[in-house]
Amino acid sequence: MDIKTTGKTGPAERDEKDGGAAGTATTGDLDGAPDGDLADDPDTDPADDPEDDLEDEAAAPAGKETGVGAGAAAVVSAALAAVALTGTWTGKVVSERETLVGQIKTSGSGTPAQQISEIYGDAWHSTALVNGAFALVALIVAVAVLVLPRHPSWVRAVATAGAVLAGLGLLLSIGTYFDLFLSLPTAGS
């Protein structure tokens, strides 16, 4: 907005001299508004209007969450549940360790039944424990996401999938640990 000033004194000097009544005249070139109108005042910025700020706040949805954290937690729960079903590198390392410990314990003096239990049974059970721990963590995260309110529908869908997969992984781990699905082989006499 261009403001034309006539006279030799500026606005600050005008106020000091005679209260701003003489010596200068300002005219706006946009709408011909009378002198002293806020539209022509160079000290006021339309962007700083507090009424506009209130309108912007009213236009923004209050309490609207993006669901990024909940979405990430839902994806993590689904991934952990899938890992619990397929097995982990950690489970493999623990299983290999149990196999080695079993071989050391029964190297020369163990009966075939002890060898089977120490070498294979302990390894299977430790793998089931590790996979069950992953499934339990996945289930806790999925339930936490589902319990918290106001999430987008895709977050609820992924968290539900994570909870179902984690529950299945937990059941399989429990069944494997207690030899419900497959029992340890027995040594022939």
Side-chain angles (χ1 to χ4, degrees):
M1 172 178 339
D2 291 70
I3 297 175
K4 297 179 185 176
T5 306
T6 59
K8 296 187 179 187
T9 59
E13 294 170 354
R14 179 183 60 194
D15 290 338
E16 289 175 5
K17 285 185 180 179
D18 53 5
T24 59
T26 58
T27 58
D29 59 77
L30 292 178
D31 59 350
D35 291 335
D37 189 14
L38 289 178
D40 291 336
D41 190 2
D43 294 332
T44 60
D45 185 9
D48 292 337
D49 190 5
E51 291 178 2
D52 289 339
D53 293 338
L54 293 175
E55 291 173 2
D56 291 342
E57 290 175 5
K64 178 82 174 169
E65 297 178 11
T66 59
V68 173
V75 170
V76 165
S77 73
L80 285 174
V83 165
L85 285 172
T86 60
T88 64
W89 176 80
T90 307
K92 181 150 178 77
V93 168
V94 171
S95 174
E96 295 283 332
R97 182 183 184 283
E98 287 298 320
T99 300
L100 181 60
V101 168
Q103 288 173 350
I104 292 170
K105 283 183 181 178
T106 61
S107 66
S109 64
T111 65
Q114 284 177 325
Q115 289 178 350
I116 292 171
S117 175
E118 291 289 330
I119 295 172
Y120 300 109
D122 290 349
W124 290 349
H125 295 155
S126 62
T127 301
L129 279 176
V130 171
N131 291 343
F134 273 86
L136 184 62
V137 169
L139 186 62
I140 291 169
V141 171
V143 167
V145 170
L146 289 172
V147 167
L148 296 175
R150 296 188 310 187
H151 294 302
S153 59
W154 72 268
V155 171
R156 290 194 156 301
V158 173
T160 302
V164 168
L165 288 175
L168 183 60
L170 197 57
L171 288 175
L172 289 175
S173 295
I174 290 170
T176 303
Y177 185 80
F178 291 110
D179 299 324
L180 299 178
F181 305 122
L182 295 171
S183 61
L184 285 174
T186 58
S189 356

